[in-house]
Amino acid sequence: MLYALAEATPRMLKTTPFHPRTSALCEGQNWRRWAGYVAASSYDLTHEREYFAIRNSAALLDVSPLYKYHVTGPDAARLLDRVVTRDVGRAAEGQVLYTTWCDGDGKVLDDGTVARLGDDRFRLTAADPNYRWLGDNARGLAVDIDDVSDTIAALALQGPNARVILEAATGASLAALKFFRLTTAVINGVPVTITRTGYTGDLGYEIWLDNAGALAVWDALMAEGAPHGIVPTGLLALDIARIEAGLLLLDVDYVSARRALIEPQKSTPMELGLGWSVSELKESFNGHRAMRAEAKRGAEWKFVGIEVDWPSLEELFAAKGLAPRLPAQAVRASIPLYDINSGEQAGYASSTCWSPILKRYIGLAHLQARFATPDTRLHMEVTVEHHRKRALAHVRRLPFFDPPRKRA
Amino acid sequence: MKFDVLIVGGGVNGLTAAAYLARTGKRVGVLEQQKSLGGVCVTQEFHPGFRANVCVDDPGWMPAHVAQDLNLAAHGYTPAFAPVGAVFPGQSGEAVMLPSQPAQAVAALRTHAPADAARWEAFCGQVHRLSGMLQALYNERTPVIGRPAMADLMPLLALGRRLRGLGKRGMVDFLRAVPMPVADYLDEWFESPQLKGALAMWGVRDVQHGPMSGGTTLVYLNQHVGIPAGLMGGRRLVPGGVGQLPLALAAAAKAAGAEIRLNAEVIQIVTKNAAISGVVLVNGEQLEAPVVMCSADVRRTFGMLMEPGLFDPDFLGATHNVRMRSPVVRLHLALDGLPATSWSREALGGTISLAGDMGQIEQAYDAAKHGGIASRPCLQVTIPSLHDSGMAPAGKHVMTVHAQFAAYRQQGGWTTDQQRLAVEATLQQLNNWMPGLSDHVLQVASFTPADVEREFLVTEGSTIHGELALDQFLFMRPVPECARYATPIPGLWLCGSSVHPGAGTACASGWLAAREVMNTWKKK
Amino acid sequence: MSQTHRYDVIVIGGGHNGLVNAAYLARAGKKVVVLERRHLVGGAAVTEEIYPGFKFSVFSYVVSLLRPEVIRDLNLPGHGLEILPLESTVTPMFNGDYLAGWADHDKTRAEYVRHSRRDADAYDEYGKLMHHMAMAVKPILAMVPPDPTSLAPSDLRGLLKLGKHFADLSPKHFHALYKLMTMSAGDFLDEWFETDVIKATRSASGIIGTFMGPRTPGSAYVLLHHYMGEIDGAFRAWGFAKGGTGAISESIASAARSFGAEVRLEAPVTHVIVKGGKATGVALENGNEYHAPVVVTSLDPKRTFLKMLSPSDLPAEFVEDIKRYKIRGSSGKVNLALSGLPEFTCLPGVGPLHRGAVSISPSMEYVERAYDDAKYGNFSRRPYADIIFPSVIDPGMAPPGKHVMSAFVQYAPSSITGGWDATKREAFGDAVIDAIATFAPNIRDLILHRQVLTPQDIEDITGLTEGNIFQGELALHQLFFLRPAPGWAKFRTPVAGLYQCGSGTHPGGGIMGAGGRLAALEILKDTGSRL
Ligand SMILES: Cc1cc2nc3c(=O)[nH]c(=O)nc-3n(C[C@H](O)[C@H](O)[C@H](O)COP(=O)(O)OP(=O)(O)OC[C@H]3O[C@@H](n4cnc5c(N)ncnc54)[C@H](O)[C@@H]3O)c2cc1C
């Protein structure tokens, strides 16, 4: 019958192809939404073990909800070069680029990676939907854009033991696979693409495959990973790791120009500390005029690390007879930062957390340029027993955590 | 080869710009893809000895000084207004004529519709005042850009109001009339269905809208810019045909030193370091110039002639969204004579509106709206040979029929079957009006929107380079970013009918664009 | 024996605007009487038990435009107002599929992706643009429209304020707003979406209450008019008043009474008494007279100025303007008492779709052709309908287990060829049921009672001329400083002491209360009183 076209009861939210495994493991039923999918916040009742897996052994994350696009055809590189700020045409086959992309005014729309799968085959990953934007940019070009968000599954295997596990699972050596390069392999009979990328600032890989092979790959990695301490890991642990690594997050650390309601909500790549990703060689791409003008002028805002001075925090809590208390999870709320002398607002922290490995209270912050020099002393707002106080904080260079194994 | 300015397109606007710029001593080149000049403002022989105004019956209003500045009369352009405006069949098929003398028109209407006769002069007065307001706006580049604010628009309207001597009420009439459906507007004045039908055709001319569509009163007023008060539906008669205008402009441009090339289709406008560097011709030849003025329509310019990567995709999207969609099929009939008819020669010399009542026009529009061809098209008929013996061999005649509505976007495209359908429906209507006409037809030349697109390289056959509608008017025409002729690419200017005032005016866009370019030179 | 009564203010008509007006004036200490023709208040916003146990929001059926300041100023929740959310819109399609917009963003996006990935992306950006547009227009709703052709200082001040407001818009937003004011809904949506059914369903809000099709320039503004309620924070989108829309009117009446206003039912006014160019009161059908230095009419402009005043009381030009004012009715209503809920073949069973609206707008062509019929003086053979099931949201509307269904229908032209009669009414009702049955075949078996309202019926019952739901079309040449007539958009009239406050004034129709409130503020200004 014709009306079989429609689902009788419209489904609520999407689940990833790993769901049969992840749902069985998610002890606290602690889920959150990610791009229209349900994703595990943490599998254990607390996320601590998952966090330490990232830094000490290996963490396995289901990152399938990422938006993914295959861009193919003779003009594929031209299209991407129109869209993103980095130089895609000059990327080698097998190379992966982290990049931002902007609107015509040079304001950031999104960030993600471009993997050159072949001469005229690319995969773009994104935090937001970009299908229409790519299409609008493809006017007059011979290129196909395929939204593979729902058909390509993705896992991140992150942590010091990631390589041994992956080598065991693929039966191949990954010693030659350099940071931000890709290779292909087979896991448990399933062809996969492996990129040496991640969102943790640690040694790590991301594994891309067709949905159909999802469970086979998951099972193989879990089995091979068991002796190496693999831990299925959720988004709460990831959030802390990425703050330590100084990696920004759309909708938390910046607002897409597409969704910003007012101009001040928008950012340029330079303002997000991503000026380095804006190609100086490409002649024209979206927003290049504005970005080049800004490069000459200098950005008004900077994106930096911020570290709260512990003794100052202790003092504030001690005044109430308490020891410092910090939220266990990363905080995704905007916290004002003030000039230590005048008291005027210098900027705001957009992500903050207690770093379990560094034993520091750190954050990612937007500061007006004149306050952004490393080691500048600022005040950060903290709430102590229902009262707003200001603790001493220092501007820091990003990333906070950068182990040699990440690139080695 | 190096030029100071290259002008893409040898239509009236391109040639006007060329003439003005060449007068400053710059080296100016005009590149026309056709073998003759004029773009859609052209008169061509379509049958041995028979010449027709292919796409337009009237070159349209032009700023008064252009003819003087460029000495157009001396170069052979000598238009005069037709003594009779609209003519239409009354209840029993008799000709009801609307001559320019209001007293005569009132007399003609008195037998047809006495109540309407009484209102005629007041109506003509209002149309003249309101279209005069448009004329005031058309003499200058469009207001409001960059800082788009009602606050800027209002003083301008106030200026117009002062200029035209419109009172407070006249101003209200203007603001109220412009967005109205022409059907509502005419209903406020008249009763006769035939009269309203005949007039309403000027409210939908060249646009895919019926008289019940908002904004068609703007189209009506636009059609009457520069037309003497009282000459409703009047047109300019040009000895030699409308094609005399581009010839005169070309002569003026050449006299000022411009170089004009025919059969020179530009296939790309090229940039270097994101600024204009020249053009590439279809034969591969490259011409250099730091300034290119493009009189092609906006969709062609940005959609086909330029590298898309140069533009913000939102801008390209906006240019792509400009509505063109010509709903017009034009027929030119070579006649070995006119059949016997009760209509006087004077009546036949007007612009004959065969539209029926406004409901019939609306129905014809419905067909196009749904992607088809009107089975009963609405016609505006002219017989240029009655005024100009040069248009046809002695004793013979040329009849031009402007028929609406047929969708540019035919489901399945414009096939020969489709074309036949449109032509037959039109001939049928003609024959109903003038039985026996078909016996006199020697030849029929027809132009569908697809033909016009192919031959004259105007998107969707739109001879006015973009539907005239409130959202494609003034600072919105063709898109806000180029409403004052400059474009996002330094050195590239628009100068065709896609830009203010465009849409049925002659030379105005070309002149205003040239003036902008000259101003930049002055600044340097 | 005729009696006379003296008041500070007489309000003609107890529709929601008249009641709002009365409440504000009473709150300011005026002695106010509202004279309502019918046996209940509300006008086009009434709930009536048409069949025993079945309560219908007879005319208007959903609410989103009601001004939040009215709700707050009059404390309407304190007088019983409760607005429940309408969760979704489902459009059944001819191929058996459907298009849904759900309350949840992710769910709606997933649904759009099913139809077009491109449109799913566009949907977010479109929503953002409309948000901005509504923000841009919102202040205008709460402002007395200045006259741009006037050089009076107060108008210039108003214009300046307006100019400043627009100058604060970014160029992009200004241009988008300009487009919305002038384009057809169809053309505007073409720039955003590629999926026909998405455009059809969205453009439907551009035709509600207007004699325009989705391809008629001007309809995009009506789209915006209907978007306005979504940004105020009071309601996110369309809602349903508990107890039907009559409950809104009742709550306003209750507020008005609490401030001391009198509301007299079954008190039809025949004319306004004018003495020496000043309104001094009104006369009722029964001969009674009410006197007051201020008379406020909430009726539509044609009814007020052409029926309740003699032409000699008014300037000839003004009378002409009112005659020219377009008030073509285009909508009808079919209210059903049902023994159960109809099953839509696209989503079989009883499900979430019954908690929201069902839109019979399967394609652009369908809606446009529905309009084509009306243009030539017929009701649509295959009409557009906006359907809700109030009893699912508020079980009190029908006996247990039974249901009421409300279908707002276009087009039903008031000027149907030959005029409306009982046969045409039933034929129109049949066409509506046929259109719904195309997608929910079992509906025929469930109908216990059917109330069909043509524009003629709407006029006869509510007094809305030609049954126009907005007291005059929301066409560009009838908005803002031109509503209802040039020079008379500030709630005053050429007759001193006579004011207007209905939907025929700025900012126009719908259950908004804006006209009632703004008129009250102007009256207080003129009488030198304070709020
Ligand atoms: C079928 C229909 C559906 C609608 N749907 C919606 C909807 O879903 N949502 C929405 O927001 N809007 C809707 N509307 C529009 C909205 O209901 C009206 O715009 C609004 O209710 C008008 O309110 P008002 O107070 O201005 O005028 P009215 O409600 O017309 O009030 C005028 C009052 O005056 C009374 N009256 C008339 N003549 C006399 C007289 N001689 N003497 C005394 N009293 C008199 C009438 O009985 C009436 O009570 C709909 C309208 C209709 C008709």
Side-chain angles (χ1 to χ4, degrees), chain A residues 220-408:
Chain A
L221 289 172
M222 287 297 285
E224 298 293 350
H228 303 285
I230 197 169
V231 176
T233 297
L235 299 177
L236 292 174
L238 180 66
D239 219 7
I240 296 173
R242 66 106 191 158
I243 295 172
E244 292 170 342
L247 300 171
L248 43 67
L249 179 57
L250 180 66
D251 284 340
V252 174
D253 298 303
Y254 75 99
V255 181
S256 166
R258 200 177 285 136
R259 245 164 316 123
L261 289 174
I262 49 173
E263 280 305 306
Q265 289 177 343
K266 301 178 183 174
S267 310
T268 64
M270 273 187 94
E271 290 171 344
L272 297 181
L274 297 172
W276 62 268
S277 75
V278 179
S279 164
E280 283 168 4
L281 297 172
K282 288 202 289 184
E283 191 183 324
S284 75
F285 51 96
N286 287 337
H288 71 276
R289 280 193 201 90
M291 283 183 258
R292 290 201 173 133
E294 187 188 36
K296 271 196 204 125
R297 220 178 34 234
E300 285 172 32
W301 288 82
K302 294 265 162 75
F303 189 67
V304 297
I306 189 93
E307 181 191 345
V308 179
D309 181 71
W310 195 255
S312 138
L313 196 67
E314 257 178 341
E315 211 172 288
L316 291 173
F317 277 90
K320 299 280 177 191
L322 294 168
R325 254 196 313 205
L326 293 176
Q329 300 178 1
V331 174
R332 294 176 164 194
S334 171
I335 302 175
L337 292 162
Y338 301 98
D339 180 8
I340 204 159
N341 300 315
S342 69
E344 79 174 286
Q345 188 161 352
Y348 57 95
S350 44
S351 295
T352 47
C353 71
W354 167 251
S355 166
I357 194 157
L358 301 173
K359 306 291 179 215
R360 293 186 198 167
Y361 184 17
I362 57 172
L364 306 179
H366 299 264
L367 289 174
Q368 297 174 54
R370 65 198 151 98
F371 297 106
T373 325
D375 301 328
T376 303
R377 288 150 57 88
L378 297 170
H379 274 146
M380 183 165 109
E381 190 172 294
V382 287
T383 304
V384 181
E385 221 25 39
H386 322 296
H387 291 273
R388 286 188 189 178
K389 300 284 173 195
R390 291 180 185 189
L392 181 65
H394 300 275
V395 176
R396 296 286 186 238
R397 244 182 258 282
L398 290 173
F400 294 101
F401 182 75
D402 194 16
R405 61 177 180 259
K406 178 173 91 179
R407 296 164 179 275

Side-chain angles (χ1 to χ4, degrees), chain C residues 121-146:
Chain C
D121 288 7
Y123 158 73
D124 284 345
E125 287 183 56
Y126 176 82
K128 183 179 125 181
L129 179 78
M130 292 306 267
H131 170 91
H132 278 296
M133 296 298 95
M135 290 262 292
V137 181
K138 205 182 82 165
I140 300 174
L141 296 186
M143 125 186 246
V144 177

Side-chain angles (χ1 to χ4, degrees), chain C residues 87-343:
Chain C
E87 290 187 359
S88 57
T89 305
V90 170
T91 308
M93 295 162 65
F94 283 122
N95 65 0
D97 197 357
Y98 65 91
L99 170 79
W102 305 108
D104 179 72
H105 173 268
D106 282 341
K107 219 175 143 188
T108 304
R109 184 181 153 78
E111 170 65 5
Y112 271 49
V113 163
R114 221 165 55 74
H115 293 274
S116 155
R117 285 179 188 278
R118 200 181 147 75
D119 287 357
D121 288 7
Y123 158 73
D124 284 345
E125 287 183 56
Y126 176 82
K128 183 179 125 181
L129 179 78
M130 292 306 267
H131 170 91
H132 278 296
M133 296 298 95
M135 290 262 292
V137 181
K138 205 182 82 165
I140 300 174
L141 296 186
M143 125 186 246
V144 177
D147 180 352
T149 67
S150 152
L151 302 173
S154 63
D155 284 311
L156 287 182
R157 263 198 307 279
L159 281 176
L160 228 73
K161 206 173 129 199
L162 196 66
K164 162 113 185 41
H165 171 66
F166 283 113
D168 289 344
L169 286 182
S170 76
K172 262 192 183 141
H173 289 156
F174 177 80
H175 296 133
L177 181 61
Y178 182 88
K179 283 177 144 192
L180 270 172
M181 301 291 283
T182 53
M183 286 175 83
S184 78
D187 287 338
F188 188 77
L189 291 163
D190 278 346
E191 296 191 356
W192 284 92
F193 300 103
E194 59 185 14
T195 309
D196 189 60
V197 66
I198 292 178
K199 288 189 272 191
T201 301
R202 294 204 161 262
S203 72
S205 49
I207 57 163
I208 289 202
T210 59
F211 208 104
M212 289 190 235
R215 295 270 169 218
T216 314
S219 49
Y221 175 74
V222 185
L223 205 79
L224 179 60
H225 187 86
H226 283 108
Y227 216 92
M228 221 76 80
E230 302 209 3
I231 57 158
D232 271 324
F235 330 110
R236 241 196 65 248
W238 290 91
F240 176 83
K242 186 171 164 59
T245 39
I248 302 172
S249 310
E250 293 295 347
S251 74
I252 304 171
S254 162
R257 286 197 196 96
S258 77
F259 297 126
E262 271 175 61
V263 180
R264 301 235 164 151
L265 301 175
E266 299 184 305
V269 174
T270 53
H271 64 270
V272 178
I273 304 166
V274 181
K275 284 205 182 107
K278 247 191 94 17
T280 59
V282 301
L284 299 197
E285 237 166 51
N286 62 9
N288 287 354
E289 289 193 357
Y290 284 72
H291 293 284
V294 172
V295 177
V296 190
T297 168
S298 70
L299 314 190
D300 68 73
K302 291 220 188 219
R303 189 158 300 264
T304 301
F305 298 112
L306 304 180
K307 299 222 166 112
M308 297 211 161
L309 288 157
S310 94
S312 59
D313 295 332
L314 298 164
E317 191 180 68
F318 178 76
V319 175
E320 272 308 301
D321 285 338
I322 295 296
K323 281 189 183 154
R324 299 195 304 194
Y325 182 71
K326 289 276 176 239
I327 197 164
R328 294 174 274 217
S330 58
S331 332
K333 190 84 195 287
V334 172
N335 297 313
L336 300 181
L338 298 174
S339 58
L341 286 171
E343 186 171 29

Side-chain angles (χ1 to χ4, degrees), chain C residues 12-18 35-38 40 42-45 58-65 238 267-270 298-299 303 308 332-333 408 458 461-464 467 469-471 501-504 509-511:
Chain C
I12 310 175
H16 84 285
N17 269 319
L35 301 172
E36 166 57 43
R37 192 177 56 117
R38 294 194 68 203
L40 80 174
V58 180
F59 307 103
S60 55
Y61 54 106
V62 286
V63 54
S64 98
L65 307 170
W238 290 91
V269 174
T270 53
S298 70
L299 314 190
R303 189 158 300 264
M308 297 211 161
K333 190 84 195 287
F408 177 85
I458 296 174
I461 301 170
T462 66
L464 287 166
I469 77 165
F470 294 146
Q471 294 196 352
C501 76
S503 300
I511 307 173

Side-chain angles (χ1 to χ4, degrees), chain B residues 417-450:
Chain B
D417 283 348
Q418 231 71 2
Q419 180 142 10
R420 191 173 329 115
L421 213 67
V423 170
E424 276 167 12
T426 305
L427 291 176
Q428 181 66 46
Q429 289 290 84
L430 271 185
N431 228 43
N432 291 348
W433 161 62
M434 195 181 258
L437 182 74
S438 48
D439 302 339
H440 297 274
V441 177
L442 301 172
Q443 172 71 286
V444 180
S446 65
F447 291 83
T448 66

